[in-house]
Amino acid sequence: MKNSILHNIIKSKKDGKKLLAVLLDPDKIELSKLKEKLVKINQSKVNYIFIGGSTVAKGLTEKCVVYIKQHTKIPVILFPGDYNQLTPKMDAVLFLTLISGRNPEYLIEQQIQSIPFLERNKIECISTGYILINGGTKTATQTVSNTNPISQKNIQLIEHTALAGQYLGNQLIYLEAGSGAKQAVSEEIIKIVSKKCTIPIIVGGGLRSITMVNKAFDCGADLVVIGTAFEKDNNLFDKK
């Protein structure tokens, strides 16, 4: 689809344009402070707003998406922890498969559970191979999914997992160190995966500064996701 979000991500990769997304967790958002945050996002270099979390109360995601879309024209992409977070108000959804784990609940069951909603609501679904990488702290994703992240030292397994995701038909690969990670996905991992895979690479977790974000871009990340960094300093990614 020519004007789809996926088309724009793929075109940006082809053109060498790097993309930035900010991740908002509905469970951690105070609506009273969200408007001010959105003003900062609108003034920043952010291309997409990702919304979602490992555990979110039913209905809360939609409430947040509606509010966000009232205050910005930046596309809102759902980054769901489970199928209950789906809402027709979003612009697209990352149709995630946790390919770093071996829990069938997050390899196929959650995806099956989402189908009735997706059949009723024609929303852009972007098939995404999600790879959880050890960032030095236990993440909510790890706890909820009951899976272990891949060690940053096991580069070959990460590389092969990413390639398997691509061969399975995923349209994006997401390398995730986890929210608040002490250690971001290493430069070596990003370089190898971006070199081996032909599809766009998303990198997130533990990227706390512009310098770290730019290094991820230089190593081959096509889209970088920030969360904690933006929370701590809304001015970090202002437009120049």
Side-chain angles (χ1 to χ4, degrees):
M1 195 180 298
K2 193 170 181 180
N3 293 319
S4 71
I5 287 171
L6 177 62
H7 171 82
N8 291 332
I9 293 173
I10 292 172
K11 186 176 185 302
S12 293
K13 177 179 177 66
K14 183 179 178 181
D15 295 343
K17 178 185 176 183
K18 301 299 184 178
L19 301 171
L20 185 67
V22 63
L23 173 61
L24 302 177
D25 186 337
D27 260 354
K28 299 176 182 177
I29 293 174
E30 293 181 46
L31 286 180
S32 60
K33 298 180 180 179
L34 184 54
K35 186 175 181 180
E36 181 182 350
K37 189 184 299 294
L38 289 169
V39 169
K40 290 292 185 182
I41 290 173
N42 286 330
Q43 294 171 346
S44 75
K45 299 175 182 179
V46 168
N47 303 101
Y48 300 110
I49 296 173
F50 283 11
I51 186 161
S54 297
T55 55
V56 179
K58 192 169 183 179
L60 183 56
T61 299
E62 180 165 314
K63 184 177 180 181
C64 289
V65 171
V66 169
Y67 187 88
I68 289 167
K69 290 181 73 65
Q70 288 173 348
H71 294 89
T72 186
K73 293 183 179 179
I74 297 172
V76 180
I77 302 174
L78 187 66
F79 175 53
D82 65 68
Y83 73 95
N84 285 313
Q85 293 177 34
L86 290 165
T87 165
K89 305 299 183 181
M90 60 197 172
D91 294 303
V93 56
L94 295 183
F95 198 68
L96 299 171
T97 303
L98 185 57
I99 57 176
S100 57
R102 299 296 180 267
N103 185 347
E105 178 70 21
Y106 295 91
L107 286 170
I108 189 63
E109 185 60 32
Q110 284 285 326
Q111 293 81 353
I112 291 171
Q113 293 292 334
S114 71
I115 295 304
F117 173 90
L118 295 172
E119 286 291 289
R120 292 194 307 270
N121 301 276
K122 298 303 178 183
I123 294 165
E124 181 181 0
C125 290
I126 305 173
S127 177
T128 305
Y130 188 55
I131 303 175
L132 190 61
I133 297 170
N134 196 325
T137 185
K138 189 170 184 178
T139 64
T141 301
Q142 184 179 345
T143 301
V144 171
S145 68
N146 194 28
T147 65
N148 292 318
I150 302 176
S151 169
Q152 301 232 19
K153 295 178 181 179
N154 200 341
I155 296 175
Q156 186 178 71
L157 178 58
I158 295 169
E159 173 196 338
H160 289 178
T161 302
L163 282 170
Q166 176 175 299
Y167 295 156
L168 281 167
N170 283 294
Q171 297 161 310
L172 305 175
I173 292 293
Y174 194 139
L175 303 176
E176 170 73 281
S179 178
K182 295 177 182 178
Q183 180 184 0
V185 178
S186 75
E187 294 176 28
E188 185 178 6
I189 291 170
I190 300 171
K191 284 178 182 177
I192 289 173
V193 173
S194 63
K195 183 179 179 180
K196 293 286 187 175
C197 292
T198 58
I199 58 178
I201 305 299
I202 303 174
V203 177
L207 298 165
R208 297 180 292 276
S209 67
I210 293 176
T211 299
M212 294 179 78
V213 167
N214 285 335
K215 281 184 178 179
F217 283 142
D218 291 341
C219 290
D222 300 296
L223 193 162
V224 165
V225 182
I226 55 171
T228 305
F230 199 88
E231 291 286 337
K232 290 182 177 179
D233 187 352
N234 296 164
N235 299 310
L236 269 180
F237 300 92
D238 284 354
K239 293 177 181 175
K240 300 298 182 184

